[in-house]
Amino acid sequence: MASKDKSPQVAIGFRVKTGRATAVVMAGPASAPRVLSRKSLQLWDPAIPESYQPYHAELELPPAESARVVPAALKAVERVALSALRELVGEIQSAPASILGISLVAGSATDPESIRNPHMRAHAREGRLFPHALAVAAKTLRIHAVTIVESEVFTSAAARLGKTPDALRLAVTELGRSVGKPWSAEEKAAAAAAWMTLSG
């Protein structure tokens, strides 16, 4: 959702895991980015414990209870993701700023249905659930969103930015100095994704 005014251009990168996401908000231009903020977002509802791992609940509950609980848990994830993203966007736009887009870093691109082990399949389905919930939230808020696999984020971002992956990793590490320690691997992945989005 870009505007034509002179507001700073901003991108948000997320490293999404089960039940949560690490967000890094970065301002442009891509040639000289700076980290504006970082934040941890909770993506499940404690009032509905099954929303933390809905597909594990599906395995563990009796069929009749699963049929009642799991759909409510999935809806809770979507509701919480939308609320969390709306709050973050509100914080950014109060500056004001023009949000170019969102990059969601997920753990794997493996099709969960190709996994035979039920518990591993549940993990994989949850690995897709939370990035998807944020992508749906972004669409609701009319913000462009892309999803990228963690193993590819530095390679893809480096290619977009005209750097080597190693040079990008070093640059992202340096960017973290402005926000202080800890500057975790999750935050670095989110920052690389946000930087890639800033490049257009």
Side-chain angles (χ1 to χ4, degrees):
M1 161 172 88
S3 70
K4 296 180 181 179
D5 60 23
K6 299 298 183 180
S7 300
Q9 293 190 323
V10 170
I12 312 171
F14 291 94
R15 173 60 176 102
V16 191
K17 292 198 167 184
T18 297
R20 64 183 178 87
T22 298
V24 172
V25 181
M26 188 176 289
S31 58
R34 56 195 174 92
V35 176
L36 295 182
S37 64
R38 56 183 170 173
K39 186 174 185 179
S40 179
L41 276 64
Q42 181 171 296
L43 300 177
W44 65 287
D45 184 353
I48 305 176
E50 295 84 3
S51 64
Y52 179 65
Q53 290 185 310
Y55 295 112
H56 279 75
E58 187 175 50
L59 290 178
E60 295 159 5
L61 294 172
E65 189 175 356
S66 173
R68 175 180 60 84
V69 169
V70 173
L74 296 175
K75 287 182 180 178
V77 169
E78 289 193 358
R79 184 184 70 251
V80 173
L82 177 57
S83 176
L85 183 58
R86 181 178 279 127
E87 180 179 339
L88 179 59
V89 167
E91 292 171 2
I92 294 167
Q93 292 181 329
S94 66
S98 172
I99 301 176
L100 289 176
I102 289 171
S103 291
L104 303 162
V105 182
S108 173
T110 301
D111 179 1
E113 305 317 311
S114 70
I115 300 173
R116 296 181 64 182
N117 180 281
H119 281 278
M120 295 303 294
R121 184 166 59 248
H123 276 298
R125 292 175 79 185
E126 286 153 2
R128 283 197 169 184
L129 169 64
F130 293 96
H132 177 71
L134 280 171
V136 170
K139 185 175 182 180
T140 299
L141 298 177
R142 299 183 180 181
I143 302 173
H144 178 67
V146 297
T147 302
I148 187 168
V149 179
E150 184 181 34
S151 62
E152 299 174 0
V153 64
F154 279 95
T155 303
S156 298
R160 180 82 66 84
L161 295 164
K163 299 178 180 291
T164 66
D166 286 344
L168 180 60
R169 287 180 187 277
L170 181 60
V172 166
T173 298
E174 289 297 315
L175 283 172
R177 293 185 185 278
S178 66
V179 293
K181 295 182 178 181
W183 183 237
S184 68
E186 292 179 17
E187 289 166 322
K188 291 175 184 177
W195 195 351
M196 179 172 62
T197 298
L198 278 180
S199 69

